[in-house]
Amino acid sequence: MDVDSTLISQEVIELIAEHAGTRAEVAAVTERAMRGELDFAGSLRERVATLAGVPLAALDEVRRRATYTPGAEELVAELHRRDWPVALVSGGFVEIVEHLAAPLSITRYRANGLETSDGALTGRTVGPVIDRQAKAAALREFAAAEGISMEHTIAIGDGANDLDMIGAAGIGIAFAAKPVVREQAPYSVDGPRLDAVLGVIDEVLSQGLPQGASKSTAVDVA
């Protein structure tokens, strides 16, 4: 599943941007990117550039302020109970994602890295950008590592950056999503609780449908 505005209620880059005095600017670009109006990689570079000079100590406060979406902990606990592997893939930053994954016993995750120098952010990322294609590739890679066929995978997200993995999964779910994602995802859940996605998952499985077979008929769970 996605992280920002899915596993957690915030957009981490906006929390970091508060320390740079650029939150309003960054939030506006994030909103456009999540609606699919901007190229994600380009918009990420633009937003991260505004973070140059933010001290690394500020990330500790960001970690404290990043809170799980209601129902997120319950969802992950239930998936673990079912012995279903859980992974996170984020257009955000691994420095925060790893902190969120550990308490939930999630060991597979992928996210962008923040470049640092002399105890501060440089305004650049390191490594490949985790855009929509990279998210879908991560889903395939994680599934292969677990020996799971793609028709038996589930992907959950809220923004345009999640559309490729939602489309590639056996069950793709838009959660509290932007309109473009709701329109294109096979299934959607409005929230506010993340564990409401279990209703969609269990309904699909109870009907014995081939994973992904109902891509033209969304199941909405309020």
Side-chain angles (χ1 to χ4, degrees), residues 18-93:
E18 283 190 12
H19 294 270
T22 60
R23 178 162 187 164
E25 172 188 344
V26 165
V29 176
T30 298
E31 179 67 17
R32 292 186 64 197
M34 292 302 96
R35 292 199 304 258
E37 297 174 3
L38 298 174
D39 169 72
F40 181 82
S43 73
L44 181 68
R45 285 192 295 272
E46 177 183 347
R47 288 174 289 162
V48 172
T50 75
L51 309 181
V54 171
L56 294 184
L59 297 184
D60 290 334
E61 181 184 344
V62 171
R63 294 183 184 101
R64 289 192 295 269
R65 293 182 61 191
T67 56
Y68 297 117
T69 298
E73 293 166 286
E74 291 84 353
L75 170 63
V76 174
E78 172 60 17
L79 298 178
H80 284 322
R81 189 191 68 78
R82 298 182 184 192
D83 199 27
W84 292 6
V86 181
L88 305 175
V89 59
S90 175
F93 308 111

Side-chain angles (χ1 to χ4, degrees), residues 3 16 22 24 27 47 61 74 78 83 95-96 99 107-108 118 130 135 142-143 167 169 171 187-188 190 195 211 216:
V3 176
I16 301 174
T22 60
R47 288 174 289 162
E61 181 184 344
E74 291 84 353
E78 172 60 17
D83 199 27
E95 292 82 0
I96 308 301
H99 169 81
T107 58
R108 292 192 186 278
D118 298 325
I130 306 303
K135 284 194 170 192
F142 292 154
I171 301 176
Y187 308 101
S188 61
D190 290 339
D195 52 357
Q211 303 284 20
S216 62

Side-chain angles (χ1 to χ4, degrees), residues 180-195:
V180 66
V181 184
R182 284 182 56 88
E183 290 165 6
Q184 296 185 39
Y187 308 101
S188 61
V189 173
D190 290 339
R193 293 189 60 86
L194 186 57
D195 52 357

